[in-house]
Amino acid sequence: MENQSVYTRPVTLKNIVKFAVPTIAMTVFMSFYTMVDGLFVSNLIGTDALSAINLTAPVIQLVTAISTMLATGGSAVIMKKMGEHRSEEAREDFTSLILVNVAVGILMCGLGFLSMKSIFAVMNLSAGVEGYCVEYLSRYLLFTVPILLMNNFTLYMIASEKATLSLLCSVTGGVLNMVLDYVFIAWFDMGISGAAIATGMGYSVTAVVGIFVFSKKKNLLHFKKPVFRFHVLKNAATNGCSEMATTLVTGIVTMMFNWTMLTYVGEDGVAAVTIIMYVLMFASSLYTGYSYGVAPMLSFYYGEKNQKKLKKLVWDSLKIIGGISILTVTGSFALTKPLVSIFARPDNPVFELAVTGNRICTAALLFIGFNIFASGMFTALSNGIVSAVLAFSRSFVFMMIAMLTLPAILGVNGIWMATPAAELMALVLSGIMFLKYRKRYGY
């Protein structure tokens, strides 16, 4: 008999936290990958190179968007089948989705190499910054397939009750990234390409471990002779389209932030935006980690038609997210200057820009957690359409409205206020959808 003890235990605050904490810690360490790159690049190379990392982010997000969709949507589909006691079919689907991700990785890697020079050429960047962009991205793309496998194996380890192993992989990858960043940049003088290679090798840890883990038949999920079912791929794409939309529009919004900052302030503004995004990314990783952690439980209880457990899990989750929101807002505001000083010295013009920006953007942390959880919850409940509406509205529609209006009225401060304004509008929509579908799912 398969061991599914995590899913059969009572839903208590203690059990929820115990299950979610490894995933939260994992996503926090994953956020360190990019932050560590920024830390070493800004201090050992300069803020121009830091700007380049931010300018390459939209291309990287585009490359990983489809994989993100298949990973999150596929996990929901597979764990729903597990709850329905269709285990062998779920394992066949798991294997086929992993193979699709490998094919997607090879395709996106090729497209990235073909298009990156023309993308950066139209941005009207200085020769130095443009060179950094091409150098960083060309090295990063070499690790496309391991990075996509990491995205998938991370979620499937959680679903297979191996969140602690996933955490260990992330910690190991993060430490490896930090060490190699210093070795490649400071010792071997590899510049920004060293940072990209260090990040790729850090991500590869989870990919390599995942291949070994899911090759063992004793695991809840393991590789099996794949059966390609088009409806499974379609359902995975539908359920995960919100996450893909979030990834895509985040890239678009990042690009818009960069263009706006280049217009108002110049390349120093792009460096300041990068620092603010690191702070927001770190705080958001707490919410993302929690949502990823409880998503398999939501999917399982939904497949099992256990509304009592589903309701308890949802409402306890809202309490937990509320507590995290208060802590992150307080911490981000109080530690603004120390956080910014990690990336830019006080005598650097980027410093004051980033300090002001972080103090304004911190307000967004009151709302982000609820919005992330709402979108993730509907994905776990196999309602990819509602999840996509929430994610797309939050990440694109509301952000575009804020970005097109507030800077025109308030200047640079309007750019910083765009994120809290967009998240507040998204919170209202999340609340409406939450109440609208409450009776259907029984939460």
Side-chain angles (χ1 to χ4, degrees), residues 3 21 60 107 127 140 161 184 194 212 225 261 295 404 407-408 426:
N3 180 18
V21 161
I60 292 171
L107 176 63
Y140 191 98
E161 303 182 39
F184 290 161
F212 285 101
K225 185 178 180 181
M261 270 299 181
L404 291 173

Side-chain angles (χ1 to χ4, degrees), residues 12 45 52 73 98 108 111 126-127 164 167 177 227 256-257 268 285 293 385-386 414 428:
T12 63
I45 305 175
I98 292 298
M108 297 307 292
L111 291 175
S126 65
T164 302
L167 168 62
N177 183 26
V227 176
M256 188 172 181
F257 261 105
D268 283 345
S285 68
I385 301 300
V386 172
V428 174

Side-chain angles (χ1 to χ4, degrees), residues 56-329:
T56 60
V59 182
I60 292 171
Q61 287 157 346
L62 175 63
V63 168
T64 58
I66 297 176
S67 175
T68 301
M69 172 187 71
L70 294 175
T72 54
S75 177
V77 170
I78 289 167
M79 290 315 297
K80 183 174 181 289
K81 285 189 177 183
M82 284 289 189
E84 295 168 345
H85 305 292
R86 298 158 62 190
S87 302
E88 293 305 306
E89 188 178 330
R91 291 172 184 134
E92 292 169 351
D93 296 337
F94 160 68
T95 308
S96 64
L97 288 174
I98 292 298
L99 293 176
V100 169
N101 270 276
V102 172
V104 168
I106 294 170
L107 176 63
M108 297 307 292
C109 177
L111 291 175
F113 271 106
L114 290 173
S115 60
M116 64 178 173
K117 287 187 178 180
S118 58
I119 291 172
F120 298 126
V122 301
M123 289 186 179
N124 197 28
L125 303 170
S126 65
V129 172
E130 184 178 338
Y132 282 137
C133 289
V134 173
E135 184 180 352
Y136 184 84
L137 187 60
S138 63
R139 279 32 169 213
Y140 191 98
L141 286 172
L142 295 174
F143 295 90
T144 301
V145 171
I147 289 170
L148 299 196
L149 288 177
M150 181 275 300
N151 285 341
N152 283 263
F153 289 154
T154 293
L155 294 183
Y156 287 121
M157 283 182 189
I158 296 166
S160 298
E161 303 182 39
K162 294 188 178 296
T164 302
L165 176 62
S166 184
L167 168 62
L168 289 174
C169 289
S170 296
V171 172
T172 303
V175 172
L176 180 64
N177 183 26
M178 295 177 197
V179 172
L180 292 181
D181 264 327
Y182 184 76
V183 170
F184 290 161
I185 299 175
W187 287 7
F188 294 159
D189 198 25
M190 294 173 64
I192 199 169
S193 64
I197 294 170
T199 299
M201 294 181 71
Y203 280 137
S204 298
V205 171
T206 302
V208 173
V209 172
I211 290 172
F212 285 101
V213 167
F214 293 114
S215 296
K216 296 180 179 179
K217 292 185 178 181
K218 66 179 182 179
N219 292 315
L220 182 65
L221 285 177
H222 55 258
F223 295 133
K224 188 178 175 66
K225 185 178 180 181
V227 176
F228 290 92
R229 301 179 178 91
F230 180 75
H231 72 277
V232 171
L233 184 60
K234 179 182 176 183
N235 289 341
T238 302
N239 286 334
C241 63
S242 62
E243 279 70 22
M244 183 182 74
T246 300
T247 303
L248 286 174
V249 300
T250 298
I252 295 171
V253 170
T254 300
M255 193 175 295
M256 188 172 181
F257 261 105
N258 293 338
W259 277 110
T260 307
M261 270 299 181
L262 285 170
T263 301
Y264 279 84
V265 183
E267 290 172 353
D268 283 345
V270 176
V273 167
T274 308
I275 295 170
I276 302 304
M277 286 185 173
Y278 286 158
V279 177
L280 289 177
M281 178 177 62
F282 175 78
S284 296
S285 68
L286 297 171
Y287 310 122
T288 303
Y290 181 82
S291 297
Y292 282 168
V294 299
M297 298 171 71
L298 291 167
S299 298
F300 190 92
Y301 298 148
Y302 174 56
E304 196 180 40
K305 295 181 170 54
N306 193 329
Q307 292 187 342
K308 183 179 178 181
K309 283 189 173 182
L310 186 63
K311 181 177 181 178
K312 184 74 164 57
L313 179 57
V314 169
W315 286 95
D316 281 355
S317 293
L318 294 177
K319 295 175 186 176
I320 292 169
I321 290 169
I324 296 174
S325 298
I326 294 172
L327 290 175
T328 54
V329 168

